[in-house]
Amino acid sequence: MSHNKTVSLVLGGGGARGLAHIGVLHWLDEHDFQIDTISGSSMGALIGGIYAAGKLDIYTNWVRALKKHDIIRLLDFAYSRTGLFSGDRIMQVLKDLLGDVKIEDLPLSFTAIASDLESEKEVWFNKGSLFDAIRASISIPTVFTPVKYKGRLLVDGGLLNPIPIAPTMMDMTDLTIAVNLSGKSEDLVFTKQESEQPEQVESNYFSGIKMFIDNLQEKLNGEEEKETDIFDILTRSIESMQNSIARFKLASYHPDYIIDIPENACALFDFHRADQMIALGYERAAQTLGNA
């Protein structure tokens, strides 16, 4: 059935749960909704920007192939007091996969949200380099180094606005649809992810790196440990704050439809669970918008 309804799409932040945005976008495309504008924060900015550039399929194929160790190898240590990782390696991989474009040259309106630490205000990117905008929007405090932009120090957009509905308020579209990655926790049952193939250990040096990666992965994924460390406490605190702000934003702006992704669907850095998150996004889009 053809809908031909125009949509302002709001894509929230929430780490690896943002891969559910891919499933939502697939469902909308398959059911003939016309996405005219996208506003995104953090992972929502990344997925929304890639979709606006017409390269979502390329990115989806890449992210679905990622394994746990691949994710850690993309994190380049910053050796800085401002963040653990520079993010340069991830962004370069994305540029190599997709190329770089200017936001004003995209076929639809796009806004990425970042947070200005000094003024404590949102910064809306709706022109200039798409990947510079994405890099600023995904700069999770203490994890990635902040971005210096026109004299400002920018971090993750989710810090101030994890679900940026405001940039769509003046849109002349039929529907505003928000994808909230901070939905209520649920008892979710997923099919078991395909196990990873063991990697060949070529040297003692590589073995040491592999052991370090395993230990770091446990911290990043928040897996159960004997003691909760400071990194785990910090990331959980940021998530709790963002979840609270997201609920406030949704209550204040009232989009036409809200697609909720449970906050416990996966951990912040579980990017190796792309298949599960994409399927979940598709399923929740169908449940929410099936009669729209």
Side-chain angles (χ1 to χ4, degrees):
M1 180 174 63
S2 179
H3 289 80
N4 296 319
K5 289 183 179 179
T6 57
V7 172
S8 295
L9 186 62
V10 181
L11 301 179
R17 291 192 303 279
L19 295 172
H21 293 322
I22 297 174
V24 172
L25 287 162
H26 284 168
W27 192 92
L28 290 171
D29 283 345
E30 290 176 10
H31 293 81
D32 299 318
F33 287 88
Q34 178 183 318
I35 301 171
D36 282 358
T37 71
I38 295 178
S39 175
S41 185
S42 195
M43 194 63 181
L46 190 149
I47 299 296
I50 290 172
Y51 174 86
K55 302 296 181 67
L56 186 62
D57 287 344
I58 296 173
Y59 175 80
T60 301
N61 291 335
W62 174 75
V63 76
R64 290 179 72 175
L66 287 179
K67 305 298 183 185
K68 285 185 179 181
H69 292 171
D70 297 327
I71 297 162
I72 299 301
R73 291 189 179 98
L74 288 170
L75 299 176
D76 42 354
F77 284 103
Y79 302 103
S80 167
R81 297 179 182 178
T82 60
L84 286 174
F85 309 106
S86 71
D88 294 339
R89 188 176 298 165
I90 294 175
M91 298 313 294
Q92 188 58 53
V93 168
L94 292 175
K95 283 185 179 181
D96 291 342
L97 281 171
L98 311 169
D100 196 8
V101 295
K102 292 188 177 299
I103 294 174
E104 54 266 38
D105 294 334
L106 296 172
L108 53 82
S109 176
F110 174 76
T111 303
I113 309 299
S115 301
D116 185 337
L117 277 180
E118 295 177 356
S119 69
E120 300 180 359
K121 294 181 179 179
E122 298 173 28
V123 176
W124 295 6
F125 285 88
N126 48 32
K127 61 181 179 180
S129 167
L130 173 63
F131 279 93
D132 286 350
I134 291 172
R135 172 65 182 87
S137 190
I138 66 170
S139 299
I140 302 172
T142 72
V143 178
F144 293 114
T145 55
V147 171
K148 295 180 180 179
Y149 176 79
K150 295 184 178 180
R152 297 173 170 180
L153 196 63
L154 304 182
V155 295
D156 194 293
L159 196 66
L160 294 178
N161 195 349
I163 186 158
I165 302 169
T168 70
M169 295 302 291
M170 300 302 293
D171 292 348
M172 301 299 290
T173 52
D174 297 321
L175 299 172
T176 298
I177 300 171
V179 185
N180 172 35
L181 303 181
S182 302
K184 292 181 180 179
S185 296
E186 299 179 15
D187 292 328
L188 298 168
V189 178
F190 293 113
T191 57
K192 187 175 181 180
Q193 196 84 359
E194 183 179 354
S195 61
E196 299 180 26
Q197 295 298 319
E199 300 181 43
Q200 182 179 0
V201 177
E202 298 177 356
S203 65
N204 291 334
Y205 173 78
F206 183 84
S207 179
I209 293 294
K210 188 171 183 292
M211 183 179 298
F212 170 77
I213 288 171
D214 287 338
N215 292 335
L216 182 58
Q217 182 66 46
E218 289 180 1
K219 290 182 173 60
L220 291 176
N221 283 326
E223 293 177 3
E224 186 175 353
E225 298 175 329
K226 292 181 180 179
E227 294 185 9
T228 302
D229 61 24
I230 189 170
F231 187 85
D232 190 35
I233 291 173
L234 183 60
T235 54
R236 290 186 186 184
S237 298
I238 291 172
E239 277 211 277
S240 296
M241 178 186 66
Q242 291 182 351
N243 291 345
S244 179
I245 296 173
R247 288 190 287 270
F248 173 78
K249 295 291 184 181
L250 289 170
S252 300
Y253 287 102
H254 305 292
D256 297 297
Y257 292 94
I258 302 171
I259 300 172
D260 283 320
I261 305 299
E263 63 183 3
N264 66 327
C266 73
L268 198 64
F269 292 93
D270 278 353
F271 288 94
H272 61 286
R273 296 178 57 192
D275 285 341
Q276 294 174 347
M277 290 303 101
I278 293 169
L280 180 62
Y282 189 95
E283 170 196 313
R284 296 305 164 93
Q287 290 177 0
T288 306
L289 302 171
N291 297 317

